[in-house]
Amino acid sequence: MSRIFGAFGAPNTAVELNAVAGRQLHGGRDGTSVLRGDTWSLGCNRLAVLDPCGGAQPYRCPRLPGIAVVFDGEIYNHHQLRRRLRARGHVFTGTCDGSVLPALYAEYGTRFAEHLEGMFTIAVIDLRRRPLLVLAADDHGMKTLYYHTGPDGSVRFASELPGLLAFGQVPATERAAALDEYLSVGTYVDDRTALEGIRTLPPGTTALATGRDGLRVQRRTAPLPASDGPADLGDLLYGEMARLTSADVPLCGVVTEGADSHLVNAIATRQLRELDDSPLRGFHVVYRGRWHSSVCAAARRSGTLHHDVLLDPDELVELLPRTVWHLGQPHADPAAPGRYALFRAIRGAGYTVALTAAGAGELFDGHERVQRALTTPPELPWIGPYLDSLASVPRTVRASLYSADYRDYLRFRGTAADRLAETLHAGRADRAAALSAVETGWRLPAHQLRQIDHVSTAWSVEARFPYLQPAVSAFAGSLRARPATGDTPLFTTAQRYLPAGTLRRSARSTDVTADELLRPGSALMDLAQDILRETHLDERWDRTAVSNLISAQSRHPAPDTAAALWAVLVHELWRQELRVLRPATVHLSLPEPVAA
């Protein structure tokens, strides 16, 4: 795994590239390297997971020196690809997964990513004829790549937003509509970010640039799943995880309260015991003074060597700003700082790879909001309640937080919730497909995977996602057309792999909530009062409403009030970090609405 960066169609100085690398160093401390020409550059900060003594990036092809590649992630089918490419005459000197990429590109050109199984963002420079930049992202968006296209057609990219902003030509202009997206739907719509002109490479896409016309993003055709494979979730997971537990560095598991987490860790424990009789160590974050769940007991019954990461809520005064910086843009999930602390503990215990159950809820319709939307009778509204469940701030609260100018802007433009409602309404004939498009195609990569990617690599830990492997996600897709009956396939499978009594059908979430953290008199509440009573609040807020929000939470704490206050606090902490990153160019422009 690595953090990657580069530019195409414009020169970059060594000083500038070193600045980009420096902002991403935490994601790969095992070596930094940069390759550059007159109008292009490729660089990476490497975290050595496979072939630690080899595998240096950028990768080159001995037969075709005009090809150079950097990549972030893991290629799980690299052994099969290496055998195929050797049969075609290619020579490899190491066993690192990424070493197959230049040869694979040489054989298949811009369609090379169609042959990959894994999690990745990849950048290829092809100088054999007309210089060409090729970028590719995995099918689920497990790894993130931010990019900016300049007015001259040049492209600059990096794995993290602070890294991208180290390029002097990339502006740090806040996008006007982003605030409403952040509060209304919990993340940013499509491939957009909080900043104007900066986008993320969408899942399942390959993008091309020649240095003149910017970046042309193309969606790849999803590969068809093999028809002769096992049609059982347990068998599929067991086969896929045999690849995911392969690493030349220590591996552990992330433990949560769900059946999805316990199933992954139980299978991993079995596989590790078959290899060397060593247990899987599982890590779970617990807030000091909070109720204790049954997670520890369930994890131990599944065979995991359990470890609780005890976190003091007062530590969030230090952790929250750091988490905001690493996420690169506002993210209103109160559990994010805890996950940041979790991966800190994982790295501190000597582990470099962590298995997670992320994506299981989206793929197997395990979230309560999806089940409610699917089971709502046709004569009753389901789109509005579903959108309310996605919001960072309740609809009744967020409009009151906006300034008069911003409300006027949204009145002309339309809110993010309104636009998403129109999309869902257009797909109402197939409610399950419409919800899946939102949950797996957009919210999963933008809201969950991006958060895990950034808070894990903040501590040089590689998070892996068994449920997002091709065979498992294809199996989940085949179930969507079937009506829900009784327990989900995931819960039923977990019962087979875990001792009786390990799982509960109704488990209380162990994620901490905003009202638990923003308690009157707490250190975090003091921070909120200090930050949000300063004079440089975002002009899109109604200052009186924000002040009233602080007073209300101080006098009469309530979940909705705390959620709104948390979201505002995170946004303003992010704006402070942005001013430090780019003090000369941070500004906000509200464009005039354009008539249709």
Side-chain angles (χ1 to χ4, degrees):
M1 188 194 82
S2 303
R3 296 321 245 170
I4 64 173
F5 56 93
F8 186 78
N12 292 109
T13 66
V15 171
E16 189 172 42
L17 294 170
N18 285 336
V20 178
R23 286 189 179 171
Q24 300 187 151
L25 182 61
H26 49 266
R29 298 182 178 275
D30 296 323
T32 298
S33 55
V34 176
L35 189 67
R36 66 188 179 105
D38 292 337
T39 59
W40 60 271
S41 58
L42 286 179
C44 73
N45 305 100
R46 188 189 180 205
L47 178 63
V49 173
L50 295 175
D51 192 12
C53 296
Q57 298 194 44
Y59 301 110
R60 308 298 295 271
C61 183
R63 292 171 56 184
L64 296 167
I67 298 173
V69 182
V70 292
F71 105 107
D72 176 20
E74 293 290 337
I75 307 300
Y76 299 125
N77 64 334
H78 68 99
H79 292 300
Q80 300 94 307
L81 292 174
R82 188 175 282 105
R83 287 193 295 268
R84 184 198 309 174
L85 294 166
R86 275 179 176 152
R88 298 190 179 209
H90 291 279
V91 177
F92 303 94
T93 57
T95 60
C96 186
D97 55 342
S99 63
V100 304
L101 293 173
L104 190 71
Y105 177 82
E107 290 292 330
Y108 300 105
T110 57
R111 301 188 64 177
F112 77 103
E114 296 174 10
H115 301 265
L116 297 173
E117 295 180 14
M119 57 177 186
F120 56 82
T121 53
I122 301 170
V124 181
I125 292 287
D126 185 351
L127 302 173
R128 292 175 297 175
R129 292 177 290 275
R130 182 184 180 184
L132 177 69
L133 169 69
V134 183
L135 304 177
D138 66 70
D139 290 340
H140 285 290
M142 290 176 272
K143 305 303 291 184
T144 306
L145 192 68
Y146 301 91
Y147 70 89
H148 175 268
T149 302
D152 57 353
S154 60
V155 179
R156 293 168 179 84
F157 58 90
S159 297
E160 300 185 11
L161 263 174
L164 183 60
L165 292 176
F167 285 110
Q169 300 83 357
V170 178
T173 303
E174 295 179 61
R175 189 165 57 86
L179 176 62
D180 181 61
E181 293 173 8
Y182 163 65
L183 297 188
S184 299
V185 293
T187 183
Y188 302 100
V189 176
D190 299 324
D191 59 347
R192 296 181 180 91
T193 69
L195 299 177
E196 194 73 52
I198 296 178
R199 293 180 177 264
T200 60
L201 192 61
T205 61
T206 299
L208 311 177
T210 60
R212 295 181 181 178
D213 51 0
L215 200 66
R216 292 178 287 113
V217 179
Q218 305 168 349
R219 189 163 296 279
R220 298 191 299 272
T221 302
L224 294 174
S227 58
D228 57 348
D232 176 83
L233 177 57
D235 293 340
L236 288 171
L237 275 173
Y238 205 92
E240 291 292 332
M241 287 181 57
R243 302 190 296 180
L244 271 66
T245 53
S246 174
D248 295 330
V249 292
L251 174 143
C252 68
V254 171
V255 179
T256 63
E257 79 282 1
D260 48 7
S261 170
H262 294 307
L263 176 57
V264 161
N265 290 323
I267 292 176
T269 294
R270 288 192 186 188
Q271 292 177 336
L272 292 175
R273 288 192 183 281
E274 290 171 1
L275 290 175
D276 56 11
D277 200 33
S278 62
L280 179 76
R281 189 171 183 183
F283 290 81
H284 172 67
V285 66
V286 177
Y287 281 84
R288 188 184 303 276
R290 198 166 184 260
W291 58 273
H292 289 281
S293 69
S294 59
V295 172
C296 178
R300 286 173 176 160
R301 283 197 293 270
S302 69
T304 304
L305 184 62
H306 188 76
H307 177 72
D308 276 335
V309 178
L310 193 60
L311 183 61
D312 191 325
D314 286 344
E315 193 181 350
L316 291 182
V317 173
E318 177 186 355
L319 288 181
L320 181 57
R322 293 185 180 183
T323 305
V324 169
W325 190 92
H326 281 287
L327 290 175
Q329 54 188 340
H331 197 299
D333 184 358
R339 294 191 182 104
Y340 175 84
L342 176 73
F343 286 105
R344 177 184 64 180
I346 287 172
R347 186 64 178 182
Y351 292 89
T352 306
V353 176
L355 299 172
T356 84
E362 288 79 3
L363 288 176
F364 292 94
D365 293 335
H367 291 304
E368 289 184 8
R369 61 177 180 266
V370 175
Q371 291 299 327
R372 286 195 300 268
L374 288 173
T375 56
T376 300
E379 67 274 12
L380 296 179
W382 63 273
I383 293 177
Y386 171 72
L387 292 179
D388 288 343
S389 71
L390 298 180
S392 302
V393 176
R395 177 173 39 186
T396 55
V397 178
R398 62 177 178 264
S400 68
L401 294 174
Y402 296 152
S403 68
D405 287 345
Y406 194 55
R407 286 197 299 271
D408 288 341
Y409 167 76
L410 293 174
R411 190 175 298 114
F412 282 102
R413 188 183 192 277
T415 67
D418 290 339
R419 294 196 301 278
L420 187 54
E422 291 174 2
T423 300
L424 289 170
H425 185 73
R428 66 190 183 281
D430 189 342
R431 194 183 299 186
L435 288 166
S436 176
V438 172
E439 290 285 338
T440 64
W442 165 55
R443 184 174 169 82
L444 174 62
H447 188 267
Q448 186 175 8
L449 299 180
R450 200 171 298 162
Q451 180 193 138
I452 294 174
D453 180 31
H454 290 332
V455 299
S456 61
T457 54
W459 295 102
S460 289
V461 175
E462 177 182 282
R464 293 183 177 179
F465 309 94
Y467 289 102
L468 299 181
Q469 300 314 299
V472 180
S473 57
F475 175 75
S478 71
L479 298 174
R480 273 187 210 113
R482 307 177 192 177
T485 55
D487 291 333
T488 66
L490 194 151
F491 191 90
T492 303
T493 302
Q495 286 180 305
R496 299 206 323 262
Y497 278 84
L498 296 165
T502 299
L503 302 175
R504 294 182 298 166
R505 283 175 174 79
S506 178
R508 180 181 174 185
S509 174
T510 56
D511 280 345
V512 71
T513 57
D515 57 307
E516 292 177 275
L517 299 177
L518 287 170
R519 294 172 288 101
S522 67
L524 199 60
M525 190 66 185
D526 291 342
L527 175 67
Q529 291 173 334
D530 291 342
I531 297 294
L532 301 183
R533 284 180 174 158
E534 294 182 7
T535 58
H536 55 255
L537 277 180
D538 190 317
E539 64 194 40
R540 291 169 289 186
W541 299 122
D542 182 306
R543 294 176 183 273
T544 300
V546 172
S547 179
N548 290 341
L549 198 65
I550 298 172
S551 299
Q553 181 63 14
S554 299
R555 296 172 183 172
H556 306 289
D560 285 357
T561 306
L565 186 57
W566 180 275
V568 177
L569 172 60
V570 167
H571 189 271
E572 293 308 300
L573 283 171
W574 169 72
R575 292 185 78 243
Q576 284 190 356
E577 298 292 348
L578 197 62
R579 283 192 292 270
V580 172
L581 288 172
R582 300 297 297 277
T585 57
V586 177
H587 64 279
L588 173 66
S589 175
L590 291 179
E592 291 295 325
V594 178

